[in-house]
Amino acid sequence: MKNIQRTLILGCSLVALAGCGADEIVSPGTSGDIIINNPPPAPAPTPTPTPTQSLVTPAAGCPTIATPGGLTDAGTLSGPTGEYRVCRLPARFTTTDTLPFIRGLVYQIPGRVEVGEDRGFASTGNAVTLTVQPGVILFGQQDSYLVVNRGNQIQSNGTADRPIIWTSRDNIQGLTDDNSQQQWGGVVLLGRAPHSDCSTGVFNTAANPNANPTCEGRLEGAAVATPFGGANRNDSSGSFRFNQIRFSGFELAPNNELQALTTGGAGSGTVIENLVSFNSSDDGVEFFGGVLNMRNFAIIGASDDSLDVDTGADVNLDTVIVVQRQTTGDRVIELDSPNVADRTPSNAIPQTRFQVNNFTFVVRDGAPQAVQARGGAALGLTNGVINAGNNHCFQLDEPTTLAALIGIDSVVGDCPTGNIARGGGGNTNEQALAAVNAGTNNNFAFTITLTNNVVNGTGEAGRTAFNANSRSTFFPTRSFIGAVENAAALASTFGNWTCNSSIQNFNSSTGACTSLPVYPV
């Protein structure tokens, strides 16, 4: 996410976007940071082929749901895995509903689809819950996306062997490849937890923490302004487990794109686990404010930042694989609190805090750096492996960011000699390097021995782990670094809820990311 404006724009038409105000939250696109014409990458492992399956035939019709108007039968759609009945979702779910799994049926997201209405900053409880059953496939095209409004929930819980797939129309038709992206919008979860970028322009600070007691963010839609945020750190936007989000990030206007998953003010009651983001044309995931504890992420092929955290988010993320494509991708981590480049003052609270434990990052040659933190954001990294290629590993901007550093411990990387860390915004390179080297059990001149891109080899297996549980009780105590201790752990942790590609092969029986799984009735 580039810091041009702080407005997350959703659903504006190309004409309407021209009139969106300058005091909004923006998640712009790559803005020229894509590097092309790199040397040819080493051949990737051959993905596990999709098992031979009988072609699906279209379901007889669309199921009945409780929301008035129901689902619309939009005919059928054919692709390499068969022919599907298309059931078009309503523009808004107005009552608690369920989307059942039915063989030979897919659900279409037509434009902006909302779960419930916004219920306000100080509201309590939950109004509308949308449940999505394991194995369901939903698709969109162009600027379509699904948004769960504040005070409502989604229960999108697949299983380890039957994930829920959010994808594009082209994917169903067999028209995608491992470089396809930007074919639909994505998924947005909004809640009532705090964030720092108040849309009114009045901000809370440590000196005046109640300057704006109802600080809200804003999501601009085509017809309505959609607020998010509140004072409830424990708020819940639902549960999102065992989901794949593929080929997302449609550009609503130049440099204004959605990412696979976006949260705004989602609280710690929200469960997000076992998530694949595949080939998002903007960030893999982005978190605006809120309080989240999440685990088991596979961010594959994002075209901008893989993990983008800002505007006062307090996030712990455990067990993370990030693999960039060889031709596109910005930073693996872009971490921001408000800084002097933004309209939001640098002392606005809450400040962003991001900790990642047991991670493996595979960075393409030509990326700006692996990790950037700025604006006073607090960064903690433990038990990680950074395959940095020719990129420096860390960029730490501004003295407040150095002061807020939680720590970097038991992290290894093949960072270029003399180019491990850089400073900016008043920090020298020497100061940034000293802050990084203050951690324990690190080696940034490490020889990477990973197999299958992300599985620990003999070098990684010999490293001493840091007890991350001492930093957050959300993190378990483990005896290894990296996301994947061995080949057996790749199967048991990531297994069949992922999908395979030339970018990263998980040996998943779900098959290729460019295809669809076919399940029995």
Side-chain angles (χ1 to χ4, degrees):
M1 186 200 74
K2 304 294 176 288
N3 288 326
I4 299 171
Q5 301 177 48
R6 308 292 296 173
T7 302
L8 176 61
I9 298 183
L10 293 179
C12 292
S13 68
L14 297 182
V15 174
L17 274 168
C20 290
D23 62 342
E24 301 156 353
I25 298 178
V26 172
S27 178
T30 56
S31 189
D33 286 321
I34 296 175
I35 309 297
I36 59 174
N37 298 324
N38 289 305
T46 302
T48 302
T50 302
T52 302
Q53 300 155 325
S54 59
L55 295 179
V56 299
T57 56
C62 297
T64 299
I65 62 172
T67 292
L71 301 168
T72 301
D73 189 333
T76 63
L77 189 63
S78 296
T81 51
E83 185 178 5
Y84 297 85
R85 175 72 53 195
V86 176
C87 297
R88 187 174 296 150
L89 302 182
R92 186 190 305 272
F93 288 91
T94 58
T95 189
T96 293
D97 252 320
T98 297
L99 298 179
F101 169 77
I102 299 173
R103 181 181 165 95
L105 186 149
V106 293
Y107 296 96
Q108 181 183 9
I109 303 169
R112 172 174 167 139
V113 171
E114 301 184 68
V115 177
E117 296 182 327
D118 175 62
R119 300 187 59 239
F121 181 95
S123 62
T124 59
N126 176 63
V128 174
T129 298
L130 175 64
T131 297
V132 185
Q133 289 187 348
V136 161
I137 298 172
L138 304 97
F139 77 91
Q141 59 191 117
Q142 298 185 322
D143 60 351
S144 59
Y145 62 96
L146 183 135
V147 56
V148 180
N149 283 312
R150 184 171 56 174
N152 304 279
Q153 293 185 358
I154 190 169
Q155 296 292 328
S156 180
N157 297 316
T159 67
D161 293 312
R162 191 173 283 206
I164 293 164
I165 297 176
W166 306 75
T167 191
S168 68
R169 181 185 180 95
D170 280 6
N171 192 190
I172 294 173
Q173 293 180 298
L175 303 176
T176 55
D177 59 35
D178 283 348
N179 279 311
S180 298
Q181 60 175 23
Q182 203 176 58
Q183 296 184 343
W184 71 291
V187 179
V188 182
L189 308 181
L190 304 179
R192 295 169 289 200
H195 85 121
S196 61
D197 191 27
C198 312
S199 60
T200 61
V202 177
F203 305 100
N204 298 311
T205 65
N208 191 357
N210 294 310
N212 188 345
T214 57
C215 175
E216 295 180 321
R218 187 171 58 192
L219 242 110
E220 278 298 321
V224 294
T226 307
F228 65 88
N232 182 5
R233 288 176 57 89
N234 300 318
D235 189 46
S236 175
S237 300
S239 181
F240 203 77
R241 303 177 68 243
F242 297 107
N243 287 263
Q244 298 178 17
I245 306 178
R246 307 176 178 180
F247 309 113
S248 60
F250 185 79
E251 188 175 54
L252 300 174
N255 295 326
N256 289 307
E257 299 167 325
L258 306 179
Q259 41 271 321
L261 176 67
T262 305
T263 67
S268 63
T270 307
V271 177
I272 304 176
E273 297 178 346
N274 304 89
L275 173 69
V276 174
S277 167
F278 182 74
N279 281 15
S280 174
S281 71
D282 193 50
D283 302 324
V285 291
E286 185 162 12
F287 308 111
F288 291 94
V291 182
L292 291 165
N293 295 305
M294 303 173 288
R295 67 175 80 253
N296 297 346
F297 275 32
I299 310 298
I300 311 300
S303 196
D304 194 17
D305 308 308
S306 298
L307 302 166
D308 200 337
V309 185
D310 40 44
T311 64
D314 184 351
V315 173
N316 294 317
L317 188 52
D318 179 60
T319 309
V320 186
I321 288 173
V322 172
V323 182
Q324 293 185 325
R325 279 178 279 171
Q326 285 298 309
T327 55
T328 185
D330 207 47
R331 300 164 183 87
V332 172
I333 293 177
E334 184 176 76
L335 178 62
D336 290 291
S337 255
N339 61 45
V340 294
D342 296 321
R343 68 181 184 85
T344 305
S346 60
N347 61 343
I349 60 172
Q351 291 286 97
T352 305
R353 182 180 176 90
F354 186 37
Q355 296 192 86
V356 189
N357 178 57
N358 280 107
F359 61 87
T360 300
F361 297 159
V362 181
V363 191
R364 70 180 181 89
D365 288 341
Q369 61 269 146
V371 176
Q372 181 178 41
R374 57 192 175 192
L379 173 66
L381 298 175
T382 50
N383 300 320
V385 179
I386 303 175
N387 190 346
N390 63 6
N391 312 289
H392 69 281
C393 286
F394 303 98
Q395 176 86 28
L396 302 176
D397 295 338
E398 301 153 8
T400 53
T401 307
L402 293 186
L405 187 67
I406 300 167
I408 299 172
D409 296 274
S410 292
V411 176
V412 301
D414 59 345
C415 313
T417 302
N419 202 14
I420 295 170
R422 294 181 185 174
N427 296 337
T428 66
N429 291 349
E430 292 74 18
Q431 288 171 324
L433 180 60
V436 170
N437 284 337
T440 59
N441 297 320
N442 297 322
N443 183 349
F444 299 116
F446 185 75
T447 300
I448 299 292
T449 62
L450 296 170
T451 62
N452 190 15
N453 255 353
V454 297
V455 177
N456 284 356
T458 55
E460 294 80 18
R463 303 299 299 180
T464 300
F466 180 84
N467 182 14
N469 186 259
S470 65
R471 295 257 174 92
S472 170
T473 56
F474 175 72
F475 296 139
T477 299
R478 296 193 179 102
S479 61
F480 62 92
I481 70 168
V484 184
E485 184 178 15
N486 49 44
L490 183 68
S492 62
T493 304
F494 290 91
N496 295 331
W497 57 269
T498 56
C499 58
N500 306 314
S501 68
S502 59
I503 309 164
Q504 179 59 50
N505 178 22
F506 287 98
N507 297 313
S508 170
S509 65
T510 302
C513 302
T514 54
S515 185
L516 300 176
V518 176
Y519 302 117
V521 176

